[in-house]
Amino acid sequence: MTTTANDITYRLEQKRRVQADFPGPKSIALTERRKAVVAAGVASTVPVFVADADGGIIHDVDGNSFIDLGSGIAVTSVGASDPAVVGAVKEAVEHFTHTCFMVTPYEGYVAVAEQLNRLTPGEHEKRTVLFNSGAEAVENAVKVARLATGRDAVVAFDHAYHGRTNLTMALTAKAMPYKTNFGPFAPEVYRMPMSYPYREENPAITGAEAAKRAITMIEKQIGGEQVAAIIIEPIQGEGGFIVPAEGFLPALAAWARDKGVVFIADEVQSGFCRTGEWFAVNHEGVVPDIITMAKGIAGGMPLSAITGRADLLDAVHPGGLGGTYGGNPVACAAALASIGSMEQYGLNARAKHIEELALGKLRELASEQPVVGDVRGRGAMLAIELVQAGSKEPNPELTKAVAAACLKEGVIILTCGTYGNVIRLLPPLVISDELLLDGLQVLAAAIKANA
Ligand SMILES: Cc1ncc(COP(=O)(O)O)c(C=O)c1O
């Protein structure tokens, strides 16, 4: 066991070690079995199978160890086997795995709702409902907004990602791979321009001006009084870790409040200490009417939630919200333990520390490498946008090559972005400084070698 300054203990040695010829034989054999039975539409980034994971390390079935800079897409913020989460799951599962909260309720669900009502922004009276996935939370937030307002239209933004179900596909911007040939899509979804500072035609446009641009379009093309909800990721995830210009989110939220439009912050990826705050909206003091959560909420167990104004959520008739597995008791136990670990380890401070460590290195890289067009993000949700040197032309080929080169050295790195040219860093918040710095130097070397 090793310990960091934050008193985080690790079960597995925190060191990358990969054989030159991975995937090894066991992963190759499993890949063959997989191909025969698992649908091709489910793609995996890494061609090895996992045996164990802890802190910032993933072990595969052939004895390779990888640095995890993806956290299973922002899920394992407390690590993939945080002792408190593992203990809570074991304890819960020994008593009951399921009763269905809609049939026979249990305390864990109520306790998670209490925690979410406490942690989400705003001092107003709140209510919470638990589900299983991020997409399900988004679907339900829209359901509530439509019922409570009696309106139909929903506003989403360029570069948005909200999930893979029918309504959330409609809300998502990018066609391939998320939407192509999966239509027809849910109606009454309108897309508005995002604030994307790096790619604005007018680089001097302020957040307030970018918000005005979107609001004018909403008013002209839909009519404010027709709009049930605006849904937005405070930092866009799959679309490219786009941080809107300061003032954009507050101006949209203020307009929504004025027009009786429900402002939904989709914090599925950015929530739970990821950006150095419990939620990314906190950076600008924005208080959403409804907030959607998943991913980091339960240390890897499937759980999602919506928390919002009591008057909105309580407007729904009994039986209008729910689902067989929503708020599963084992997942609730994991969420309570995970939130406890976030507080105990001080993971907001830890995310800020990761930002300090990594942002400096990434900016240094950008100053040396003209292919690094932009460096952005908050906390441990950081990204670089790769371009053709001397222009802002996206460079998805280089992005792929860099991710592949990192993997070859034992560093798992995820890409994203509308143009497929963004390298995103989402390390577990419990990763040690040494491991993070090792991963970053591998990334820097991969960019230098492939630029
Ligand atoms: C912002 C956002 N919303 C919704 C989702 C969908 O979540 P899930 O994959 O759990 O359905 C994601 C997943 O990446 C996301 O990043």
Side-chain angles (χ1 to χ4, degrees):
M1 290 228 182
T2 49
T3 307
T4 69
N6 296 59
D7 283 341
I8 295 166
T9 56
Y10 303 113
R11 189 173 43 82
L12 300 180
E13 190 191 8
Q14 300 291 294
K15 220 177 178 90
R16 92 187 136 95
R17 193 177 297 116
V18 290
Q19 285 143 22
D21 60 345
F22 79 84
K26 289 182 183 160
S27 279
I28 290 173
L30 281 165
T31 300
E32 284 311 304
R33 273 174 63 193
R34 168 197 174 136
K35 276 189 199 151
V37 293
V38 178
V42 186
S44 300
T45 309
V46 181
V48 302
F49 279 70
V50 178
D52 207 347
D54 178 44
I57 279 289
I58 293 180
H59 282 192
D60 79 0
V61 287
D62 293 291
N64 297 296
S65 314
F66 298 85
I67 299 180
D68 178 14
L69 296 186
S71 302
I73 322 187
V75 170
T76 52
S77 298
V78 296
S81 52
D82 178 48
V85 173
V86 172
V89 166
K90 281 183 179 164
E91 163 78 20
V93 88
E94 279 183 2
H95 291 283
F96 56 99
T97 55
H98 173 84
T99 61
C100 186
F101 191 75
M102 299 187 307
V103 178
T104 322
Y106 38 86
E107 184 181 351
Y109 192 119
V110 178
V112 171
E114 285 167 349
Q115 291 295 340
L116 298 184
N117 293 2
R118 172 178 72 89
L119 294 169
T120 50
E123 297 304 315
H124 53 285
E125 197 170 345
K126 298 173 196 161
R127 298 287 184 269
T128 286
V129 191
L130 303 181
F131 304 99
N132 304 288
S133 68
E136 208 185 343
V138 170
E139 291 258 357
N140 279 280
V142 172
K143 268 171 72 170
V144 169
R146 282 180 167 154
L147 181 142
T149 59
R151 305 172 182 178
D152 294 336
V154 179
V155 168
F157 287 83
D158 286 335
H159 314 288
Y161 180 85
H162 296 290
R164 287 179 150 98
T165 57
N166 189 263
L167 173 60
T168 59
M169 276 194 295
L171 295 168
T172 291
K174 191 172 177 176
M176 195 64 185
Y178 307 124
K179 301 172 76 165
T180 304
N181 294 335
F182 290 133
F185 302 110
E188 285 304 307
V189 170
Y190 298 85
R191 192 163 311 287
M192 294 298 149
M194 180 64 186
S195 162
Y196 189 167
Y198 178 63
R199 294 204 171 271
E200 291 287 356
E201 259 176 48
N202 167 15
I205 188 171
T206 65
E209 288 163 351
K212 183 92 179 73
R213 175 177 64 190
I215 289 165
T216 304
M217 274 177 77
I218 296 170
E219 286 181 337
K220 297 295 167 209
Q221 296 184 14
I222 318 168
E225 65 293 340
Q226 305 294 312
V227 180
I230 285 181
I231 181 161
I232 190 161
E233 300 153 85
I235 296 181
Q236 289 184 317
E238 306 303 300
F241 279 30
I242 300 162
V243 185
E246 202 182 324
F248 182 72
L249 295 171
L252 282 181
W255 176 83
R257 197 175 316 116
D258 192 43
K259 298 288 175 193
V261 171
V262 177
F263 185 84
I264 303 171
D266 183 352
E267 295 256 12
V268 165
Q269 191 154 163
S270 55
F272 292 97
C273 308
R274 178 52 54 189
T275 67
E277 294 282 349
W278 281 99
F279 297 97
V281 284
N282 295 5
H283 291 281
E284 290 195 78
V286 171
V287 178
D289 297 309
I290 299 178
I291 183 160
T292 59
M293 297 158 272
K295 291 191 186 278
I297 192 172
M301 295 297 285
L303 188 76
S304 69
I306 62 172
T307 297
R309 277 170 36 202
D311 60 312
L312 296 176
L313 275 93
D314 280 345
V316 180
H317 47 272
L321 302 172
T324 304
Y325 293 115
N328 167 273
V330 182
C332 283
L336 294 170
S338 178
I339 290 167
S341 288
M342 288 175 197
E343 288 182 324
Q344 191 200 327
Y345 300 149
L347 290 191
N348 278 320
R350 182 74 201 146
K352 285 182 181 140
H353 174 71
I354 289 173
E355 174 181 328
E356 244 171 64
L357 270 187
L359 219 47
K361 300 267 173 217
L362 296 176
R363 291 205 172 118
E364 211 177 286
L365 191 62
S367 70
E368 291 164 6
Q369 300 291 333
V371 292
V372 180
D374 195 27
V375 177
R376 57 180 178 250
R378 289 193 205 275
M381 187 170 183
L382 302 172
I384 53 176
E385 184 158 347
L386 298 181
V387 293
Q388 310 286 347
S391 78
K392 287 189 177 181
E393 194 56 38
N395 199 337
E397 298 79 18
L398 174 62
T399 309
K400 253 193 218 141
V402 167
C406 288
L407 183 62
K408 214 159 170 254
E409 293 299 318
V411 181
I412 296 173
I413 285 215
L414 303 177
T415 62
C416 65
T418 296
Y419 313 107
N421 68 327
V422 176
I423 300 255
R424 56 172 154 173
L425 301 180
L426 285 168
L429 303 179
V430 296
I431 194 169
S432 69
D433 288 2
E434 299 73 36
L435 212 56
L436 177 65
L437 290 171
D438 186 24
L440 288 171
Q441 65 85 14
V442 168
L443 172 63
I447 290 175
K448 280 177 202 163
N450 287 278

